[in-house]
Amino acid sequence: MTTGTDRLSNDLRKAEEYAAELALKDGETLILTGSATLPFETRGGDVDLVLVTPYEERYFGFAQSRERERETEQAANEFAISYLRLPNGEELDIEVWPERRLLAAAEKFRTGIRDIEEVEADFTRVGGLDVKVGTDLFHAVGWGVPVAGTEAFEHLHGRIPWPAYQAFKRDAVLVNVRDATKGIPASLRDERPDEAYLKLCWAADSLLDAMVFHTGHSITRWKWRLRYLSLLPAWVDDWYRGIRFRPVLEPADLLRHVDVLKNTFETYAERPPHALERPVRGGRSASEPLA
């Protein structure tokens, strides 16, 4: 997939300067992630880095001086956040992860693509991690760009069963789509089309996120949804914008959208996703076949 090459190049340069100061050890990898590596142009924002290390002492060194922000979340999920403020006022955000924690999370997906019942039993977690934390970590390793320690990065990347992860992330939100096919008619029976519309909006957001993961991409922040539309099938763009920007209150129209939700769930749930789309330095596109 392509990225905003100017932003990517600038952030890589800053990250490489930090990597030189950090002096990576054998087996460690420093990854550029965040908005600079997204498959569309972005402006501004901090430089977001992830350091994965097999050395416990390296992790504990960062953990002892971890930032107070999200401190409970860091401790519960076993990672550390550190900020490096540059002289020009810019900020490098660094998440430090023990390699064992990443691999333990990846192991949860070794069973392959799960059925919906299994997804529902675990959809508030991602590989045993909090949803946001786990999604950000897998996003970095799957769709980030290695700054240093490329060999270690590729080794880690190859140990993660990506089709199973993508399918889990897709199906976890397709559960919301399925539930809305019941919730919207229930609201209409209660003569509350306004509530039915809110449920439709929730389902539309979930459907878009599901399609992002199904098509080989990854979304970590709701604010990027509109930008992903150009990467999805054209019908998703037209359908999503029609719902989100033009309120739907007529019962017949709401029920037509329920049919779309039902068809989407039945078409994509529990199916193999598309090949993972990886960004590469220079903005060229790269795909990797399904495992």
Side-chain angles (χ1 to χ4, degrees), residues 32 34 62 88 92 98 103 105 109 122 131 139 169-170 176 198 203 206 244 254 284 288:
L32 176 66
F62 278 93
N88 64 1
L92 296 182
L103 295 179
F109 299 104
D122 198 34
V131 170
H139 179 87
K169 288 295 298 179
R170 177 200 63 206
N176 298 337
L198 290 180
S206 296
R244 278 317 229 142
L254 286 162
R284 294 175 293 106
E288 122 180 338

Side-chain angles (χ1 to χ4, degrees), residues 7 11 32-36 44-48 83 89-93:
R7 167 83 190 280
D11 283 9
L32 176 66
T33 184
S35 56
D46 296 330
V47 179
D48 298 313
Y83 296 142
E90 291 183 290
E91 192 171 73
L92 296 182
D93 298 355

Side-chain angles (χ1 to χ4, degrees), residues 169-180 199-213 219 225 232 236 239-240 244 261 264:
K169 288 295 298 179
R170 177 200 63 206
D171 292 349
V173 285
L174 280 180
V175 168
N176 298 337
V177 172
R178 181 206 60 191
D179 289 351
K199 292 175 181 178
L200 176 60
C201 289
W202 172 61
D205 290 342
S206 296
L207 185 150
L208 191 158
D209 291 354
M211 293 301 295
V212 168
F213 282 102
I219 183 168
R225 282 189 180 120
L232 304 180
V236 180
W239 180 80
Y240 182 79
R244 278 317 229 142
L261 299 177
T264 303

Side-chain angles (χ1 to χ4, degrees), residues 106 108-114 119 160-171 272-273 290-291:
K108 301 288 186 180
F109 299 104
R110 288 283 170 209
T111 55
I113 296 176
R114 308 179 196 179
V119 170
I160 297 172
W162 292 109
Y165 169 75
Q166 293 168 249
F168 176 82
K169 288 295 298 179
R170 177 200 63 206
D171 292 349
L290 290 174

Side-chain angles (χ1 to χ4, degrees), residues 138-159:
F138 281 102
H139 179 87
V141 180
W143 291 267
V145 177
V147 177
T150 301
E151 185 175 339
F153 173 83
E154 292 298 338
H155 177 69
L156 288 173
H157 185 93
R159 294 185 66 179

Side-chain angles (χ1 to χ4, degrees), residues 4-24:
T5 54
D6 290 343
R7 167 83 190 280
L8 179 60
S9 297
N10 289 336
D11 283 9
L12 277 170
R13 176 180 51 77
K14 297 169 190 173
E16 286 165 350
E17 292 174 1
Y18 173 70
E21 294 180 13
L22 190 61
L24 260 65

Side-chain angles (χ1 to χ4, degrees), residues 21-223:
E21 294 180 13
L22 190 61
L24 260 65
K25 302 177 183 180
D26 289 344
E28 291 185 328
T29 183
L30 185 67
I31 308 164
L32 176 66
T33 184
S35 56
T37 63
L38 294 176
F40 38 76
E41 187 69 49
T42 60
R43 299 181 184 276
D46 296 330
V47 179
D48 298 313
L49 301 171
V50 170
L51 171 65
V52 182
T53 178
Y55 304 103
E56 292 296 312
E57 65 274 14
R58 172 82 101 170
Y59 162 66
F60 286 124
F62 278 93
Q64 288 171 0
S65 58
R66 59 166 46 107
E67 295 289 332
R68 292 300 304 274
E69 180 183 341
R70 298 163 56 198
E71 187 174 31
T72 302
E73 180 182 79
Q74 293 178 61
N77 291 277
E78 284 193 85
F79 74 105
I81 295 176
S82 179
Y83 296 142
L84 176 64
R85 293 164 181 86
L86 304 178
N88 64 1
E90 291 183 290
E91 192 171 73
L92 296 182
D93 298 355
I94 306 117
E95 286 192 6
V96 182
W97 283 89
E99 180 185 284
R100 61 171 173 75
R101 195 68 187 89
L102 168 63
L103 295 179
E107 191 65 27
K108 301 288 186 180
F109 299 104
R110 288 283 170 209
T111 55
I113 296 176
R114 308 179 196 179
D115 61 35
I116 289 296
E117 288 74 20
E118 291 178 301
V119 170
E120 282 189 284
D122 198 34
F123 80 114
T124 60
R125 310 285 286 174
V126 173
L129 301 167
D130 292 348
V131 170
K132 177 183 178 299
V133 172
T135 303
D136 283 348
L137 176 60
F138 281 102
H139 179 87
V141 180
W143 291 267
V145 177
V147 177
T150 301
E151 185 175 339
F153 173 83
E154 292 298 338
H155 177 69
L156 288 173
H157 185 93
R159 294 185 66 179
I160 297 172
W162 292 109
Y165 169 75
Q166 293 168 249
F168 176 82
K169 288 295 298 179
R170 177 200 63 206
D171 292 349
V173 285
L174 280 180
V175 168
N176 298 337
V177 172
R178 181 206 60 191
D179 289 351
T181 65
K182 306 170 186 175
I184 292 171
S187 292
L188 292 177
R189 288 193 295 272
D190 291 338
E191 298 183 347
R192 292 302 304 263
D194 51 351
E195 289 183 357
Y197 174 63
L198 290 180
K199 292 175 181 178
L200 176 60
C201 289
W202 172 61
D205 290 342
S206 296
L207 185 150
L208 191 158
D209 291 354
M211 293 301 295
V212 168
F213 282 102
H214 182 78
T215 54
H217 301 283
S218 169
I219 183 168
T220 61
R221 300 293 183 271
W222 62 266
K223 65 182 179 180

